């Protein structure tokens, strides 16, 4: 984006961070034209009429992440990144819609600033979705449909019931056979991934790279990532094992429809055909994160069999069978590396330093355990390790010293002097 957003007044940002909605509307009014221009740049001429939606979403994300902004520049930088991210989501969403339905993109009217502020405040005060109530209503409707079905069946001739019983038995046999076939397939994949002739592809600390797998799938690997490729990959199966994070661009072909490309990560399998998606699961991660840029994927828990389809423009977190939609800052924390940066949102310092080691390949450690839980919020470009260490020392008030083998050692910085009255 070449559009530069204006830097808001520091006093207004302070009120914004403290939850003042009047400050929110002041900043939105000040930034609105810039947000529209930046969004239009990213969307392109054909989708520029969606720039109002992008601006709305970017400001909502900033409000939800307001506690992390330590100065006006940080807020402006966040808005620029959020605008870029939401514009990309809109582009991919409408590109996929056009491919599937061959329809022209509908025109959307861009709000005036007064309308935009009204819609923003309405969104802030909209009642939260009651997921428990919605689930109960769905179950009630399902029970009602089942009861109506039983009543209809009860009135049919007995010979029809006998025939129905025969059909039901046949269906049960077919379903049972499919379950057994699937179980056998999973066992075969297990054996293939543990075979003696698997191919292991790795990226080290501070390394990222792109490679092409034997079936034509492109994999952009993040730092400290390992891909395990079975010997039969591309012939009788297309499942690989991931430890780390990578973006996959798969091929859409006739063979891909019958043999989908799949990634095993943690306790789940992510399956796709003709799509672009990112998966993250490092050994220390408690969850699997999946982001879909184009097409769709199916996430399946290998223990329970529970499955969930995820469409383009979405990112989700799968942990212990529960799925959570990621948006705004939460998505950035897990996946910002795909846009050449890493993000921390009130992360404990003891987990931030290892991430710097991972993504920049530096020899560094936190030697002051007393400050390990100190929260850190910042965004760092994956360009310069020097800039990264400077940003961390400023964000967490640290000092740097050199230990054995030129190791960078972080410890607590000097406390700010108090002013005597």
């Amino acid at each position: 984006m070449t559009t530069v957003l204006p830097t808001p007044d520091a006093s207004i940002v302070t009120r914004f961070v403290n939850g003042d909605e009047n400050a929110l509307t002041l900043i939105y009014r000040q930034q609105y034209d810039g947000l529209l221009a930046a969004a239009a740049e990213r969307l392109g001429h054909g989708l520029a009429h969606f720039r109002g939606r992008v601006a709305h979403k970017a400001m909502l994300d900033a409000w939800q992440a307001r506690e992390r902004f330590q100065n006006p520049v940080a807020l402006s930088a966040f808005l620029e990144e959020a605008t870029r991210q939401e514009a990309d989501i809109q582009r991919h969403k409408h590109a996929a819609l056009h491919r599937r339905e061959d329809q022209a993109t509908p025109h959307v009217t861009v709000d005036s600033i007064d309308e935009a502020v009204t819609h923003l405040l309405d969104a802030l005060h909209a009642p939260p979705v009651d997921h428990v109530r919605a689930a109960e209503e769905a179950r009630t409707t399902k029970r009602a449909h089942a009861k109506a079905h039983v009543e209809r069946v009860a009135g049919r001739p007995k010979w029809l019931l006998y025939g129905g019983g025969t059909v039901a038995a046949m269906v049960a046999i077919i379903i049972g056979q499919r379950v057994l076939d699937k179980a056998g397939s999973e066992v075969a994949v297990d054996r293939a991934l543990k075979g003696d002739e698997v191919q292991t592809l790795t990226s080290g600390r501070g390394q990222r790279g792109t490679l092409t797998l034997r079936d034509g799938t492109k994999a952009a690997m993040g730092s400290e990532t390992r891909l395990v490729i079975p010997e039969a990959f591309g012939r009788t199966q297309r499942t690989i094992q991931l430890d780390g994070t990578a973006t996959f661009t798969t091929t859409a072909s006739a063979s891909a429809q019958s043999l989908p490309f799949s990634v095993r990560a943690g306790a789940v399998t992510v399956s796709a055909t003709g799509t672009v998606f990112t998966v993250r699961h490092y050994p220390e991660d408690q969850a699997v994160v999946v982001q879909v840029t184009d097409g769709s994927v199916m996430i399946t828990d290998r223990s329970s069999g529970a499955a969930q389809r995820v469409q383009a423009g979405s990112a989700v977190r799968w942990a212990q069978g529960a799925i959570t939609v990621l948006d705004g800052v939460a998505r950035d924390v897990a996946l910002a590396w795909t846009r050449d940066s890493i993000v921390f949102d009130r992360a404990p310092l003891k987990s931030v330093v290892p991430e710097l080691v991972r993504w920049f390949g530096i020899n560094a450690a936190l030697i002051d355990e007393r400050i390990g839980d100190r929260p850190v919020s910042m965004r760092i470009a994956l360009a310069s390790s020097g800039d990264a260490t400077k940003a961390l020392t400023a964000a967490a008030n640290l000092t740097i010293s050199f230990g054995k083998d030129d190791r960078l050692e972080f410890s607590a910085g000097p406390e700010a002097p108090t002013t005597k009255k």
Side-chain angles (χ1 to χ4, degrees):
M1 269 189 303
T2 57
T3 299
V4 178
L5 299 178
T7 302
D9 182 77
S11 62
I12 299 178
V13 172
T14 299
R15 291 164 49 198
F16 176 89
V17 170
N18 291 329
D20 186 339
E21 291 186 8
N22 289 328
L24 167 66
T25 58
L26 286 172
I27 291 175
Y28 196 27
R29 289 180 179 278
Q30 182 186 40
Q31 302 282 338
Y32 190 60
D33 289 341
L35 289 171
L36 292 181
E41 266 182 34
R42 193 74 176 182
L43 289 165
H45 177 73
L47 294 176
H49 47 279
F50 285 102
R51 62 191 184 275
R53 289 187 182 180
V54 173
H56 174 86
K57 186 64 167 57
M59 187 55 70
L60 272 181
D61 286 349
W63 178 253
Q64 292 166 359
R66 60 188 179 277
E67 294 180 0
R68 64 182 290 187
F69 303 129
Q70 301 173 355
N71 53 60
V73 174
L75 173 57
S76 295
F78 179 92
L79 286 171
E80 289 178 1
E81 177 62 23
T83 300
R84 178 165 47 244
Q85 179 175 296
E86 182 60 25
D88 287 346
I89 289 173
Q90 291 291 336
R91 286 168 54 201
H92 290 306
K93 181 188 300 182
H94 293 288
L97 178 66
H98 179 74
R99 283 198 301 275
R100 289 195 298 270
E101 302 179 0
D102 196 24
Q103 294 179 351
T105 303
H107 185 79
V108 177
T109 303
V110 178
D111 288 340
S112 67
I113 181 57
D114 290 333
E115 292 170 333
V117 168
T118 299
H119 291 159
L120 184 71
L121 294 177
D122 287 345
L124 289 183
H125 298 292
V129 177
D130 189 339
H131 295 284
V132 174
R133 180 179 178 182
E136 180 57 35
E137 289 176 351
R139 285 192 292 269
T140 301
T141 301
K142 187 175 182 180
R143 287 194 294 267
H145 288 166
K147 180 180 178 181
H149 175 72
V150 170
E151 290 173 349
R152 287 196 302 272
V153 171
R156 295 177 182 174
K158 290 185 178 181
W159 64 265
L160 185 58
L161 293 180
Y162 295 148
T166 303
V167 171
M170 293 176 64
V171 170
I173 292 172
I174 294 172
I175 293 175
Q177 185 62 49
R178 289 183 177 177
V179 170
L180 290 175
D181 289 345
K182 184 170 181 59
S185 176
E186 289 295 323
V187 170
V189 172
D190 287 339
R191 290 175 178 171
L193 289 169
K194 296 175 182 177
D196 295 333
E197 299 185 13
V198 297
Q199 179 185 17
T200 302
L201 307 172
T202 61
S203 61
R205 290 178 176 176
Q207 295 179 336
R208 292 182 291 156
T210 301
L211 51 89
T212 302
L213 304 182
R214 293 195 293 269
D215 68 336
T217 297
K218 295 186 182 300
M221 299 170 64
S223 296
E224 278 196 316
T225 292
R226 183 174 74 113
L227 301 180
V228 179
I229 318 295
E231 190 274 334
F233 180 80
R235 299 197 306 273
T236 59
Q237 59 103 330
R238 295 176 69 209
T239 300
I240 68 172
Q241 175 77 38
L242 167 73
D243 295 306
T245 184
T247 297
F248 301 96
T249 302
T250 66
T251 54
S253 62
S255 61
Q257 299 301 319
S258 59
L259 199 62
F261 175 75
S262 298
V263 178
R264 280 192 172 191
V268 306
T269 298
V270 184
S271 302
T273 55
T275 189
V276 181
F277 65 102
T278 302
V279 182
R280 173 182 172 130
H281 179 71
Y282 283 97
E284 69 273 16
D285 289 346
Q286 301 300 310
V288 179
V289 174
V290 179
Q291 173 178 268
V292 183
T293 304
D294 190 24
S296 66
V297 303
M298 182 69 75
I299 305 177
T300 304
D301 188 311
R302 294 194 301 277
S303 298
S304 65
Q308 175 75 42
R309 183 167 294 280
V310 181
Q311 302 289 348
S314 298
V316 298
R317 180 180 186 271
W318 188 291
Q320 299 179 342
I323 192 167
T324 305
V325 176
L326 296 181
D327 214 345
V329 179
R331 182 193 291 231
D332 273 354
V333 169
L335 302 162
W337 74 269
T338 61
R339 296 182 300 280
D340 298 319
S341 62
I342 53 175
V343 172
F344 302 100
D345 182 38
R346 297 186 295 277
L349 182 58
K350 60 188 176 186
S351 68
V352 171
V353 174
E355 282 291 286
L356 293 191
V357 172
R358 167 176 289 155
W359 289 100
F360 292 95
I362 58 177
N363 181 16
L366 178 65
I367 62 171
D368 193 343
E369 296 181 358
R370 299 171 302 167
I371 58 173
D373 292 325
R374 182 176 292 180
V376 177
S377 296
M378 62 179 183
R379 180 186 299 273
I380 306 173
L382 289 174
S384 167
S385 59
D387 289 345
T389 55
K390 289 179 183 177
L392 177 61
T393 56
N397 186 26
L398 304 175
T399 59
I400 299 179
S401 58
F402 290 92
K404 187 178 180 180
D405 298 326
D406 291 329
R407 183 179 72 169
L408 292 177
E409 298 182 339
F410 296 100
S411 56
E415 295 185 4
T418 57
T419 303
K420 294 182 179 180
K421 295 183 178 181

